[in-house]
Amino acid sequence: MLIFIVADEYHFKTWMSAHNKQYGLDEYYQRLQNFIENKRRIDHHNAGNHKFTMGLNQFADMTFAEFKKQYLITEPQNCSATKGNHVSSNGPYPDAIDWREKGHYITDVKNQGPCGSCWTFSTTGCLESVTAIATGKLPLLAEQQLVDCAGYDEMGMVDAVARLNPVSFAFEVTSDFMLYQKGVYSSNKCHNTTDKVNHAVLAVGYNEENGTPYWIVKNSWGPTWGIDGYFYIEREKNMCGLAACSSYPLPLI
């Protein structure tokens, strides 16, 4: 057992160096314990049959309770109360779209830091893209603007992303998402109701992998998290309640 403990502590120190982490003596051992527990969860998950993998990212020394308190929205949300004016077309829609590849329409991944400000990052990120598509100039914004709802269903989201622009949406983050690394995320632990959503992000496109449709999503936890700051999440299943909380800004130009 000692050799495993030594190996885990070696991995922890290597991880600390990579992420510029420093602790006092008491905190060190608590963070080491959290790291070991998260690493075992990651190894167990990655040994199974899943569409996504987990990894030792910058949150690997945290419990999910700590992470939830610092990075997610803790108050219940009721985004379904908002009514929008989005009118869907009849298609057809492209099989895949990625606004990052269509031009200079998406700003770099940002880091919201340890506060529940994801709504601001999601909304302004969407408005930046809408403005760039309309004017040809990509601004870097820091304020929220009027939003219009994309429809409360994923076909409305597909219509908006395919024809118009990226779309902001909210969903429920559970503990396995904290350590997401790559692949198409799905969960049987999260809910699909609007009162449970706790994080807002930006859908910049969609695609399909091995028969599984997914959204391409920009997060706000920095470029070292996930796939260079992005993640994929399963589409057409209202995964974690994402379909009922989608919106996009109306550019004031």
Side-chain angles (χ1 to χ4, degrees):
M1 179 62 71
L2 179 61
I3 188 171
F4 291 104
I5 294 175
V6 170
D8 285 337
E9 188 167 14
Y10 172 79
H11 287 143
F12 181 55
K13 289 181 176 179
T14 301
W15 176 89
M16 284 179 59
S17 177
H19 292 276
N20 297 314
K21 299 279 188 173
Q22 294 182 342
Y23 314 103
L25 185 61
D26 291 339
E27 185 181 14
Y28 173 87
Y29 286 105
Q30 181 60 57
R31 296 299 169 192
L32 173 59
Q33 180 179 337
N34 294 343
F35 179 88
I36 292 172
E37 291 175 357
N38 282 328
K39 185 177 182 300
R40 288 173 180 167
R41 287 186 59 222
I42 290 168
D43 292 342
H44 177 75
H45 173 90
N46 292 345
N49 183 23
H50 301 282
K51 296 176 182 178
F52 73 100
T53 60
M54 296 166 64
L56 294 169
N57 59 29
Q58 69 265 42
F59 304 129
D61 64 342
M62 301 178 71
T63 65
F64 183 63
E66 289 176 313
F67 175 82
K68 186 175 182 179
K69 183 177 180 180
Q70 293 188 38
Y71 288 91
L72 302 178
I73 299 166
T74 57
E75 296 297 324
Q77 303 297 304
N78 187 19
C79 54
S80 62
T82 305
K83 301 297 182 182
N85 300 312
H86 178 81
V87 178
S88 294
S89 73
N90 294 323
Y93 306 116
D95 292 334
I97 191 168
D98 189 338
W99 280 97
R100 296 174 298 177
E101 299 175 355
K102 291 173 68 70
H104 194 46
Y105 298 132
I106 308 293
T107 56
D108 292 339
V109 172
K110 302 172 186 177
N111 194 333
Q112 71 181 56
C115 62
S117 58
C118 56
W119 288 102
T120 298
F121 284 83
S122 175
T123 304
T124 56
C126 193
L127 181 59
E128 289 164 350
S129 298
V130 170
T131 304
I133 293 166
T135 68
K137 297 180 180 180
L138 180 62
L140 186 63
L141 304 177
E143 69 276 2
Q144 297 188 35
Q145 298 288 351
L146 180 66
V147 297
D148 186 23
C149 294
Y152 305 138
D153 63 80
E154 288 190 79
M155 280 312 301
M157 292 175 63
V158 167
D159 179 83
V161 172
R163 291 193 303 115
L164 301 174
N165 42 253
V167 168
S168 171
F169 73 85
F171 71 113
E172 183 189 6
V173 169
T174 54
S175 59
D176 54 356
F177 188 77
M178 180 180 83
L179 300 169
Y180 169 92
Q181 184 176 53
K182 61 182 180 180
V184 180
Y185 178 79
S186 63
S187 174
N188 57 11
K189 297 179 180 178
C190 61
H191 303 80
N192 61 2
T193 54
T194 59
D195 61 311
K196 297 294 185 179
V197 301
N198 56 14
H199 188 51
V201 289
L202 183 67
V204 304
Y206 59 82
N207 208 330
E208 184 174 309
E209 180 178 282
N210 298 324
T212 301
Y214 64 86
W215 293 104
I216 304 168
V217 190
K218 180 184 179 184
N219 204 352
S220 57
W221 296 339
T224 61
W225 181 90
I227 310 168
D228 298 323
Y230 285 78
F231 67 95
Y232 303 151
I233 186 169
E234 193 163 356
R235 183 163 51 95
E236 299 180 359
K237 290 190 175 181
N238 188 26
M239 185 59 62
C240 301
L242 67 86
C245 294
S246 57
S247 60
Y248 61 87
L250 300 174
L252 303 179
I253 57 174

